[in-house]
Amino acid sequence: MDAADLPDEVPHPARPGLMLRLVHHHAGDAPVNFRCDGCREPGEGTRCASANLVLHTHCALATPTLQHPLVRGTLQLRRHVASDGDLFCQACYGDVLGLHKTSKGEYPDLHPCCAKLPVSITVRGGLTFELREEVSRRCSSCRAMEGYWSPWCYRSTNEPRVYLHVKCIKEIMPVLFGGGGGGGVGEVLLVLMRVVAGLLLGDPTAPLLAVNLIFPSNW
Ligand SMILES: [Zn+2]
Ligand SMILES: [Zn+2]
Ligand SMILES: [Zn+2]
């Protein structure tokens, strides 16, 4: 969703009666970092806020249900409660501490931002990356092969195929936004990383870095 399309006020997705106001991050302003009170993940820039709460725009606008091409069944939006125990996000392998998408307590759980990641990203230069749940080659960032673990990753559709875990993009976010490089990865991968990292942080300008994005069906 483009920043200009965001509503000025939205109801909190899990707290009836609580309204959240859109707080813009205009180009040129220093982006404001925050910790989302919905999903407990880091955010940056444009956000939805009340007097005491701040949420990613994608958490504030999270739909109650989601169909995702990588997930069987329907994902439901729910809050993490103590009886859930330890949950982790299947896409990024990070801890799930707040709002998340789940298919009735069964595999997998997903952060709202991870559930919303594009299933296809075409970056400048024409390379297209597809979101996958399993890979057969090494990740360009961590160089790890799949074993018993399988965090989601982006795979280039062109040969030679390139793989990048969502987890690894997330880990490199502070470097990406601190003006540094991307740990020696190529320029195209750096653009992919910036798009994905920007979307995870809720930066509505991030999609502009890509030529084409395809999102999960009904988001
Ligand atoms: Zn959030
Ligand atoms: Zn995640
Ligand atoms: Zn990796």
Side-chain angles (χ1 to χ4, degrees):
M1 184 178 284
D2 192 270
D5 298 331
L6 294 168
D8 290 337
E9 245 194 1
V10 292
H12 191 290
R15 298 191 184 200
L18 179 60
M19 294 303 289
L20 301 168
R21 191 172 38 85
L22 183 68
V23 181
H24 278 292
H25 159 52
H26 297 285
D29 292 346
V32 178
N33 297 324
F34 60 89
R35 175 74 52 179
C36 173
D37 290 308
C39 66
R40 312 276 176 195
E41 290 286 294
E44 187 180 273
T46 301
R47 58 219 176 272
C48 292
S50 69
N52 304 315
L53 292 175
V54 57
L55 265 74
H56 291 117
T57 55
H58 55 243
C59 285
L61 295 168
T63 51
T65 62
L66 174 72
Q67 301 285 342
H68 196 289
L70 296 188
V71 177
R72 243 183 281 148
T74 301
L75 289 164
Q76 316 274 344
L77 182 71
R78 70 186 299 271
R79 293 168 77 173
H80 183 269
V81 291
S83 59
D84 287 339
D86 294 337
L87 300 179
F88 71 97
C89 171
Q90 184 63 32
C92 72
Y93 266 41
D95 292 333
V96 167
L97 301 171
L99 278 181
H100 60 285
K101 295 275 188 176
T102 184
S103 54
K104 294 229 165 108
E106 294 167 20
Y107 164 95
D109 299 303
L110 292 167
H111 292 124
C113 55
C114 291
K116 194 198 172 186
L117 282 174
V119 291
S120 172
I121 299 175
T122 303
V123 297
R124 285 188 218 121
L127 265 189
T128 296
F129 294 87
E130 289 176 341
L131 190 60
R132 308 266 305 181
E133 52 186 336
E134 86 282 343
V135 296
S136 54
R137 296 185 207 172
R138 289 183 191 281
C139 165
S140 297
S141 183
C142 68
R143 311 300 301 166
M145 278 296 287
E146 295 240 329
Y148 61 92
W149 67 301
S150 54
W152 288 5
C153 71
Y154 280 100
R155 183 185 80 166
S156 66
T157 57
N158 319 60
E159 293 287 348
R161 290 206 195 276
V162 180
Y163 297 86
L164 261 185
H165 290 126
V166 172
K167 169 184 183 292
C168 292
I169 296 173
K170 214 174 151 187
E171 280 169 6
I172 215 168
M173 276 196 311
V175 183
L176 288 173
F177 287 87
V185 299
E187 198 179 323
V188 170
L189 289 184
L190 208 55
V191 176
L192 173 74
M193 286 174 148
R194 284 183 186 278
V195 172
V196 174
L199 289 169
L200 291 175
L201 288 169
D203 175 2
T205 62
L208 304 178
L209 293 170
V211 177
N212 190 34
L213 299 171
I214 301 172
F215 288 97
S217 58
N218 67 341
W219 195 283

